[in-house]
């Protein structure tokens, strides 16, 4: 099955095929992310209006939307052009007025003749003590009362599209739902009490009360689950396709790993040992590894990565570790070199800096297999870089690397295993949505000897005290980071903020004490500034957030973050993790500008209260929502229409295990439920997934 199944054709036809939608109106819908009738099914009402029939407007709480039966009384045409046309009406207990503007001729006399009975519905307000309904939404004969929904759904709109049109269009789209077999596991469906897809869609568009609008109503929950299930089937198919790619079994005997472990001054944590076991087990299988190593700041990912690289060497091959920037690549080199010497393996670095004959010599050694482990930037993607036998590729800081680069790296090594590392603790719900195609190892313990970090909140009014404190720390031979605020979106203003702060600190603390690094600097200057700080030639490093990932200066014990309230929690947690790496007691000062909002204060207090990155990430997700947390546009987290990742993380986990089980039982989706699931994938626009089935 390569094309979309025929029963779904009407749902994917042009919007102008719907009654009431002309070619002009059809062009307005895409602003609501609606391109076909199918999208209308998943554009659910965001609120509702109670239009249940009442006997009278008397004693009603006004202003409010009311629906009552009335007898039409006297008409009072406007005194001047464009004035109000008033119609006096009487319900069971009181009289009020209907008000229309721009009335033409005797139109209302004909529509609402005196003495007639009508059901009117609209917003009623008091005006000079008299209730008025201005431009009623409905005014129909009593026999048509059923046309007014007792609870009217209110849809999201855009310029040129009215509630009436949305109501009509969604009803027309609902009529196009074909008969479809059930794709949800019957046990799961019964337990949750979910209706069939068509019934759920109809119910979600016809809420009877406010509770029907909540994410937990069975109709909405069912539709949310359909979205999550389709997404997780797609990820599971990607994972299955990835796993079907023949890998190479790499088994080490552990002798190099043991040398390093014997030389370490401490024992690895349980989490580290577990992660190494999971990774080496994956490497030993003939399927390709596709694993994510997720660790909090300072959880010891580097050691785990190195153990995995040694396994590749023990198995007779090579390994590569890639970092997003040259600074980080060099830092990995510094951290790994002593370990490599202990193990007796050859470790080299390859970056854009390598030129000419030196580069040629490295490439030749790499191709011969004389270099066993390579650390590098994306320069290792270049066409002339060839390995002798690449077994393992490790990618550090995934969100800087797209899926495309992950695949390219895999191509370098004939069937090399891939391990992705990230220091950003991702809440489980997002990890499932973003990395559902990967297996995940989590480092959730800190190695011994890590100093706790004291976190304090300080207002920017106390700047001078903070600078005095820096002066004292420098006198004791300590070093400090000073992170400048993120100003607006433009990098120019970031730059100005950093340069101003640099000048001010230099004036107070003295020449040669303060260094500066920001995003606009040439790479060589940035490296020079970082290196000067690493070698303790400068004592204070003023920086924009360039330093958040990975820089390691054990002697730095103070982190000042200016205007901390403008940063994300996860980012602040990363920044704080830059100190507390050596023997000295460390402090993180979060400077905020008054007045601080309640949520701003709450966010900073979460940080002060815990050093657990996963707890912080969960709190951040609750407070900010998925989109802000990782900048949805480039994060690979899908945008769902009905499902809500924060509130429905539990559903996502069920969808993941269900999708994996479905594909385990029926890898090519040929069975009854498999065929139904194919229809779901088409319905949810997961055409990519369909290709994976046909390719697989």
């Amino acid at each position: 099955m390569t094309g979309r199944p025929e029963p779904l054709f009407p749902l994917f036809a042009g919007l102008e095929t719907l009654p009431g939608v002309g070619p002009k109106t059809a062009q307005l819908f895409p602003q609501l992310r609606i391109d076909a009738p199918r999208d209308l099914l998943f554009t659910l009402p965001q609120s509702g209006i109670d239009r249940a029939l009442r006997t009278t407007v008397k004693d009603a709480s006004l202003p409010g939307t009311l629906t009552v039966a009335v007898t039409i009384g006297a008409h009072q045409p406007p005194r001047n052009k464009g004035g109000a046309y008033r119609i006096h009406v009487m319900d069971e207990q009181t009289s009020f007025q209907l008000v229309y503007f721009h009335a033409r001729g005797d139109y209302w006399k004909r529509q609402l003749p005196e003495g007639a009975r009508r059901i009117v519905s609209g917003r009623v307000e008091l005006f000079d003590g008299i209730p008025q309904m201005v431009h009623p939404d409905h005014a129909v004969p009593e026999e048509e009362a059923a046309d007014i929904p007792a609870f009217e759904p209110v849809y999201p709109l855009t310029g040129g599209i009215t509630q009436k049109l949305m109501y009509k269009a969604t009803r027309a789209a609902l009529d196009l739902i074909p008969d479809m077999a059930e794709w949800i596991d019957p046990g799961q469906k019964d337990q949750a009490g979910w209706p069939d897809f068509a019934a759920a869609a109809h119910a979600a568009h016809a809420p009877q009360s406010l509770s029907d609008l909540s994410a937990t109503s069975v109709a909405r929950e069912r539709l949310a689950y359909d979205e999550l299930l389709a997404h997780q089937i797609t990820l599971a198919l990607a994972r299955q396709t990835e796993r079907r790619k023949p890998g190479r079994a790499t088994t080490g005997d552990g002798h190099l790993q043991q040398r390093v472990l014997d030389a370490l001054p401490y024992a690895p944590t349980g989490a580290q040992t577990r992660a190494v076991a999971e990774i080496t087990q994956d490497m030993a299988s003939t399927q390709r590894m596709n694993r994510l190593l997720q660790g909090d700041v300072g959880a010891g990912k580097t050691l785990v990565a190195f153990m995995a690289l040694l396994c590749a060497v023990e198995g007779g091959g090579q390994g590569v570790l890639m970092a997003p920037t040259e600074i980080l690549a060099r830092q990995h080199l510094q951290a790994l070199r002593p370990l490599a010497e202990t193990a007796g393996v050859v470790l080299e670095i390859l970056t854009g800096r390598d030129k000419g004959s030196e580069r040629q010599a490295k490439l030749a050694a790499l191709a011969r297999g004389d270099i066993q482990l390579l650390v590098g930037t994306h320069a290792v993607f270049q066409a002339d870089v060839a390995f002798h036998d690449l077994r393992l590729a490790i990618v550090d800081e995934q969100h800087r690397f797209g899926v495309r680069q992950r695949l390219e790296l895999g191509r370098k090594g004939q069937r090399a295993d891939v391990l992705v590392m990230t220091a950003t603790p991702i809440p489980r719900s997002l990890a499932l949505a973003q990395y559902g195609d990967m297996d995940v190892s989590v480092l959730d313990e800190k190695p011994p000897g890590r100093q706790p970090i004291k976190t304090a909140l300080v207002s920017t009014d106390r700047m001078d005290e903070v600078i005095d404190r820096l002066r004292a720390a420098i006198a004791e031979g300590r070093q400090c980071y000073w992170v400048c605020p993120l100003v607006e979106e433009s990098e120019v203003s970031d730059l100005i903020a950093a340069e101003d702060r640099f000048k001010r600190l230099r004036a107070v603390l003295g020449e040669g004490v303060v260094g500066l690094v920001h995003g606009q600097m040439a790479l060589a200057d940035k490296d020079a500034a970082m290196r000067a700080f690493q070698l303790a030639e400068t004592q204070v490093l003023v920086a924009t957030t360039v330093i958040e990932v990975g820089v390691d200066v054990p002697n730095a014990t103070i982190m000042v973050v200016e205007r901390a309230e403008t940063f994300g929690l996860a980012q602040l947690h990363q920044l704080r993790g830059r100190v507390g790496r050596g023997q000295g007691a460390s402090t993180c000062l979060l400077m905020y500008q008054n007045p601080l909002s309640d949520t701003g204060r709450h966010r900073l207090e979460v940080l002060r209260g815990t050093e657990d990155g996963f707890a912080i990430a969960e709190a951040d997700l609750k407070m900010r929502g998925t989109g802000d947390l990782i900048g949805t546009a480039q994060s690979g987290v899908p945008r769902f229409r009905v499902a809500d990742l924060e509130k429905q993380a539990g559903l996502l986990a069920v969808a993941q295990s269900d999708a994996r089980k479905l594909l385990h039982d029926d890898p090519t989706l040929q069975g009854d439920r498999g065929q139904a699931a194919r229809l779901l994938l088409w319905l949810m626009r997961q055409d990519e997934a369909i290709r994976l089935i046909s390719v697989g």
Side-chain angles (χ1 to χ4, degrees):
M1 179 172 86
T2 47
R4 183 178 289 129
E6 206 165 305
L8 295 179
F9 285 179
L11 281 173
F12 285 88
L15 287 164
E16 62 281 0
T17 57
L18 297 173
V21 180
K24 266 202 164 125
T25 332
Q27 290 171 8
L28 300 170
F29 278 101
Q31 296 187 18
L32 293 166
R33 288 170 49 219
I34 296 171
D35 301 306
R38 171 256 173 232
D39 303 320
L40 283 162
L41 298 180
F42 297 96
T43 305
L44 298 185
Q46 53 193 16
S47 62
I49 299 170
D50 184 354
R51 291 199 192 272
L53 191 62
R54 310 169 53 109
T55 51
T56 176
V57 301
K58 195 177 169 195
D59 304 329
S61 60
L62 301 181
T65 299
L66 304 175
T67 307
V68 289
V70 298
T71 304
I72 306 290
H75 286 239
Q76 189 183 330
R79 294 201 184 88
N80 47 15
K81 194 169 184 242
Y85 186 105
R86 301 171 193 278
I87 303 172
H88 295 273
V89 296
M90 183 78 194
D91 66 22
E92 276 190 19
Q93 296 184 23
T94 185
S95 62
F96 61 100
Q97 294 176 351
L98 307 183
V99 180
Y100 292 96
F101 291 94
H102 315 297
R104 295 236 173 96
D106 61 355
Y107 177 79
W108 291 115
K109 280 261 196 307
R110 294 198 312 273
Q111 290 296 313
L112 303 170
E114 200 166 329
R117 295 281 294 164
R118 291 286 188 270
I119 306 276
V120 293
S121 183
R123 188 171 163 83
V124 180
E125 300 194 25
L126 275 182
F127 194 75
D128 283 344
I130 299 168
Q132 291 187 344
M133 188 183 284
V134 180
H135 283 272
D137 303 320
H138 303 271
V140 301
E142 285 184 296
E143 57 274 18
E144 290 172 32
D147 292 356
I148 303 180
F151 187 80
E152 184 180 24
V154 174
Y155 288 93
L157 300 178
T158 182
I161 295 181
T162 61
Q163 285 299 342
K164 236 174 201 148
L165 178 63
M166 271 305 263
Y167 188 81
K168 200 168 173 184
T170 48
R171 294 309 163 277
L174 288 167
D175 290 341
L176 301 176
I177 298 175
D179 272 342
M180 297 185 285
E182 185 54 75
W183 46 74
I184 293 180
D185 174 74
Q188 168 63 30
K189 188 179 166 212
D190 291 347
Q191 190 195 335
W194 288 331
D196 292 344
F197 177 81
H202 279 276
H205 283 279
Q208 301 300 303
S209 67
L210 282 173
S211 64
D212 290 346
L213 295 167
S214 82
T216 52
S217 72
V218 288
R220 286 199 175 215
E221 195 174 76
R222 148 95 215 211
L223 297 177
Y225 188 74
D226 291 331
E227 278 191 310
L228 297 171
L229 181 64
H231 169 64
Q232 287 297 326
I233 290 175
T234 303
L235 288 177
L237 279 164
R239 177 172 181 257
Q240 182 175 290
T241 315
E242 202 46 51
R243 295 186 141 210
R244 269 201 232 118
K245 285 188 189 146
R248 298 186 49 199
T250 301
T251 11
D253 57 5
H255 76 283
L256 296 177
Q257 290 185 345
Q258 200 52 53
R259 271 186 212 166
V260 173
L261 289 173
D262 291 344
L264 286 179
Y266 55 84
T269 64
Q272 283 175 314
T273 309
R274 192 169 58 241
V276 171
E278 288 168 348
I279 293 163
T280 46
Q281 193 176 345
D282 275 2
M283 289 174 70
S285 116
T286 50
Q287 294 176 325
R288 249 174 103 168
M289 169 164 77
N290 189 20
R291 186 172 280 279
L292 174 72
L293 175 64
Q294 208 190 345
D296 203 349
V297 178
K301 284 184 300 298
T302 313
L303 179 65
V304 173
F306 191 67
M307 288 297 178
L309 291 167
L310 287 182
C311 177
V313 177
E314 289 171 357
Q318 294 166 294
V320 61
L321 170 60
M322 302 196 30
T325 64
E326 178 148 345
I327 291 172
L328 288 174
R330 295 203 171 276
Q331 190 167 294
H332 277 308
L333 182 73
Q334 286 169 353
L336 298 181
R337 193 154 257 164
L339 297 175
E341 281 166 7
T342 307
V345 298
V346 181
L347 173 78
E348 262 303 340
I349 186 168
L350 183 69
T351 68
R353 248 197 219 173
D354 294 298
K355 299 273 188 295
S357 56
E358 193 181 327
R359 178 178 164 88
Q360 290 314 315
K362 275 188 189 177
L363 293 182
L366 199 60
R368 284 195 307 271
D370 295 351
I371 295 175
Q372 293 158 301
L373 298 180
L374 186 68
V375 172
T377 54
H378 52 265
V380 306
F381 283 141
Q382 287 159 354
D384 59 349
V385 179
F387 290 83
H388 176 65
D389 180 7
L390 179 62
R391 298 293 184 90
L392 173 66
I394 300 183
V395 179
D396 191 19
E397 282 311 321
Q398 154 68 18
H399 58 280
R400 311 282 162 108
F401 269 165
V403 175
R404 196 174 44 87
Q405 282 111 321
R406 255 175 25 205
L407 294 173
E408 276 202 24
L409 194 62
R411 284 190 204 107
K412 279 281 173 205
Q414 275 34 63
R415 316 183 300 235
D417 286 322
V418 179
L419 178 69
V420 171
M421 301 200 293
T422 173
T424 314
I426 308 163
R428 178 141 185 270
S429 55
L430 287 189
L432 282 179
Q434 197 174 7
Y435 300 115
D437 59 324
M438 305 179 83
D439 298 300
V440 183
S441 296
V442 178
L443 297 179
D444 47 12
E445 301 169 44
K446 287 216 170 156
R450 276 292 180 144
Q451 299 292 331
I453 302 166
K454 182 170 180 259
T455 303
L457 310 184
V458 191
S459 134
T460 42
D461 312 335
R462 295 168 55 195
M463 183 77 74
D464 295 342
E465 288 174 47
V466 172
I467 294 176
D468 286 343
R469 186 151 175 193
L470 288 198
R471 198 183 276 114
I474 294 167
E476 289 172 12
R478 304 263 176 232
Q479 286 171 278
C480 322
Y481 292 100
W482 188 297
V483 177
C484 294
L486 285 168
V487 190
E488 265 60 78
E489 286 303 297
S490 98
E491 293 183 328
V492 183
S493 43
D494 276 1
L495 174 70
I496 295 168
E499 290 191 325
D500 286 354
R501 179 59 59 226
F502 168 66
K503 287 178 187 148
R504 176 162 173 200
L505 288 175
R506 195 177 56 183
V508 182
L509 299 171
E511 292 283 334
V513 175
V514 188
L516 171 66
V517 47
H518 58 73
Q520 299 292 289
M521 288 164 92
L523 198 61
D525 297 344
K526 215 188 274 188
D527 274 7
M530 298 297 273
R531 196 163 299 130
F533 187 64
Q534 277 173 326
L535 298 171
E537 290 161 10
T538 54
Q539 278 66 52
V540 177
L541 184 62
V542 174
T544 49
T545 47
V546 191
I547 59 160
E548 71 178 281
V549 182
V551 188
D552 202 353
V553 180
N555 189 40
T557 58
I558 297 183
M559 166 65 72
V560 178
V561 183
E562 208 175 323
R563 298 290 312 274
E565 74 278 9
T566 62
F567 291 84
L569 279 185
Q571 218 177 5
L572 288 171
H573 177 62
Q574 290 290 333
L575 288 168
R576 171 169 66 181
R578 298 294 116 228
V579 294
R581 293 177 163 248
Q583 299 311 300
S586 294
T587 310
C588 174
L589 297 176
L590 302 175
M591 296 185 75
Y592 60 86
Q593 189 164 335
N594 276 321
L596 190 56
S597 70
D598 286 350
T599 46
R601 177 168 297 279
H602 177 50
R603 284 180 46 223
L604 295 180
E605 281 173 351
V606 165
L607 213 71
R608 182 167 65 185
T610 178
E611 276 192 62
D612 176 342
F614 288 92
I616 289 168
E618 290 288 357
D620 206 5
L621 180 63
K622 279 200 185 66
M623 283 186 268
R624 289 207 297 166
T626 331
D628 294 346
L629 195 61
I630 36 191
T632 313
Q634 76 286 349
S635 68
V637 171
R639 291 172 67 180
F640 296 114
R641 281 176 172 274
V642 183
D644 177 330
L645 283 181
E646 291 103 278
K647 300 194 180 76
Q648 298 180 309
L651 272 190
L652 184 63
V654 176
Q656 187 193 42
S657 59
D658 192 18
R660 288 189 174 187
K661 181 179 183 305
L662 173 63
L663 282 167
H664 175 269
D665 300 345
D666 181 6
T668 51
L669 298 181
Q670 294 300 341
D672 290 348
R673 192 177 160 214
Q675 293 288 356
R678 283 171 178 247
L679 204 59
L680 168 70
L681 292 172
W682 280 114
L683 178 65
M684 293 299 182
R685 297 189 184 278
Q686 298 281 349
D687 310 16
E688 278 293 286
I690 307 285
R691 280 226 319 278
L692 288 172
I693 305 175
S694 41
V695 170

